[in-house]
Amino acid sequence: CALPILVRVTGSVGGKQWPDITTKELVLGESLLNPGLMVSITFQSMVYGDFNKVYMDLKNTDLSLNLYDGHGNRMSVSEMKIYRMDNRSMMPLNMGRTEEFTVHATHFTLLEDAKHVMSKKWTCATPDSIVRDALQCVGATGMNDVAPAQPARDYMAEHIHPFQVIQQQCNVALDGNDPSFVHYMTFGKGMGGQPTHHFKSLRSMKTGAAVKTFTFRPGEVNINYNNPENRNKVMVFEFPCMFDYLTDLLNGVNETGVNINGLLTFNPTGVDIGQFISGLGNAMTGGCIPVANMKQSVTNKGSSKQDYGCPTDVESHLLTRQARMALLDRDKTALRLTLPWTPDVHAGDKIQFDWWDNDFSLMPDSGEFIVASLTHRSEE
């Protein structure tokens, strides 16, 4: 979703009170594929004034924002750190007395992840318990939404970053039999809301009712989107990718939705060497195997008690995750909406899109969608 906003912004950038500086553009983003948050602000500033601005002083300083539109919609952005400043250039205005630059900020936990590695062994631990330990390492205790996950497995983190630990748990975690866990962040809800780390499955995002319904009706013109009654009306929409059968096949799903990946497993103890072709048995004729992708993995199936460990259970999850994650690729986006500012919708939420025909019936492409990513944008 792209959400243009006309809002009033208050807050502080690096705790600085500099004169003769104005905000040109504000962009905030969150995505199911990003374990951090993105904020960028483009400023225009007077040069050659009586006040010297030392922009290096902004490095690693705090950024906080309060956004509201006068119609009850509010949003706060907190616990952000400025990590980059770029695109500083003189503007061809006022005889070269104005410059423009952009500062970028992210949630402090992403920087803490870059400053730490983990080295630890877990025995028969569930993925969610390991994820909680990794989030604690980056100071995210109390700001997380971690869903239960199975199976319990032996796991060792070998001097890797905490978010890498979480990603490895995403690759093996199961919600029932669904291997679609993702780690992502969202901004806080409302004023004073705290940014949150999420570890949950795409399957869980599909459950429950939609958090909001957005509508599009043909023939509506001159809509006042600042009117609270019109805040749920879609300004522009498109369907970037209705389907891509070739990509489905390359990711191991056939035309009926059946998984056609294959798996070769090897047990170092010699107990078991297995070949699994999901959904198709072990059919092979003349060396031609009906498999989209053949994966290989070490397993301890049948020997977990012998080696005093937990089953790795690769047979249950390794074949199916790839196709589910392919749905989140940017070029596979099913629906893209441009809306009036809607701060109470976040990545991972389910929304309803109602596209009405002229005869007041719903178009067949109406339905429920999971928000894979969204951008809040405000331009002066």
Side-chain angles (χ1 to χ4, degrees), residues 352-373:
Q352 173 74 31
F353 173 55
D354 288 345
W355 179 13
W356 294 95
D357 201 345
N358 286 317
D359 62 1
F360 302 103
S361 63
L362 284 174
M363 296 287 286
D365 295 310
S366 301
E368 295 180 332
F369 296 83
I370 295 174
V371 179
S373 64

Side-chain angles (χ1 to χ4, degrees), residues 49-70:
D50 296 330
F51 186 90
N52 290 324
K53 305 178 182 75
V54 183
Y55 293 123
M56 286 297 295
D57 290 345
L58 292 175
K59 183 177 180 181
N60 198 36
T61 55
D62 297 328
L63 181 144
S64 63
L65 300 170
N66 295 313
L67 292 75
Y68 56 98
D69 64 359

Side-chain angles (χ1 to χ4, degrees), residues 17-18 26 31 76 78-79 84 113 116 122 160 169 184 230 235 241 358 363:
Q17 298 293 329
W18 287 342
L26 169 66
S31 167
S76 64
S78 61
E79 300 178 328
R84 179 182 173 89
D113 173 70
H116 295 84
W122 290 262
I160 59 176
Q169 298 313 302
Y184 64 101
N230 296 326
M235 303 168 71
C241 181
N358 286 317
M363 296 287 286

Side-chain angles (χ1 to χ4, degrees), residues 13 36 42 93 108 119 191-192 203 228-229 238 263 276 292 320 366:
V13 179
T42 300
L93 302 171
F108 77 89
S119 178
M191 296 300 288
R203 175 185 181 181
E229 295 181 359
E238 60 179 319
L263 173 65
F276 304 90
T320 53
S366 301

Side-chain angles (χ1 to χ4, degrees), residues 173-361:
L174 297 175
D175 178 2
N177 62 353
D178 187 280
S180 62
F181 273 81
V182 289
H183 170 215
Y184 64 101
M185 278 201 77
T186 56
F187 291 103
K189 294 182 180 293
M191 296 300 288
Q194 190 175 47
T196 302
H197 282 273
H198 302 268
F199 176 76
K200 58 198 305 185
S201 68
L202 299 181
R203 175 185 181 181
S204 68
M205 298 176 197
K206 296 189 298 182
T207 62
V211 300
K212 218 168 191 74
T213 297
F214 298 103
T215 63
F216 182 85
R217 296 180 184 274
E220 290 187 325
V221 296
N222 299 323
I223 299 174
N224 178 11
Y225 293 104
N226 284 322
N227 186 333
E229 295 181 359
N230 296 326
R231 304 297 289 185
N232 67 331
K233 293 186 177 181
V234 175
M235 303 168 71
V236 179
F237 71 95
E238 60 179 319
F239 299 95
C241 181
M242 293 293 290
F243 63 85
D244 188 335
Y245 178 41
L246 176 59
T247 298
D248 290 343
L249 289 174
L250 294 175
N251 284 293
V253 177
N254 70 9
E255 66 276 11
T256 62
V258 173
N259 186 343
I260 55 172
N261 284 320
L263 173 65
L264 292 173
T265 61
F266 171 72
N267 191 318
T269 66
V271 172
D272 180 56
I273 298 178
Q275 175 175 301
F276 304 90
I277 302 178
S278 180
L280 297 174
N282 291 316
M284 182 172 67
T285 302
C288 182
I289 307 174
V291 164
N293 302 284
M294 184 63 78
K295 302 178 182 296
Q296 300 182 46
S297 178
V298 175
T299 182
N300 64 355
K301 183 177 181 180
S303 66
S304 57
K305 293 182 179 179
Q306 179 179 327
D307 59 20
Y308 303 102
C310 261
T312 56
D313 204 32
V314 294
E315 293 80 7
S316 296
H317 67 263
L318 193 59
L319 288 176
T320 53
R321 178 173 172 81
Q322 178 176 326
R324 285 166 170 78
M325 293 301 99
L327 296 173
L328 298 180
D329 292 345
R330 288 188 63 86
D331 66 342
K332 304 301 182 297
T333 299
L335 173 66
R336 182 174 292 120
L337 304 175
T338 300
L339 305 163
W341 187 45
T342 312
D344 52 348
V345 172
H346 294 273
D349 286 344
K350 184 169 68 172
I351 62 170
Q352 173 74 31
F353 173 55
D354 288 345
W355 179 13
W356 294 95
D357 201 345
N358 286 317
D359 62 1
F360 302 103
S361 63

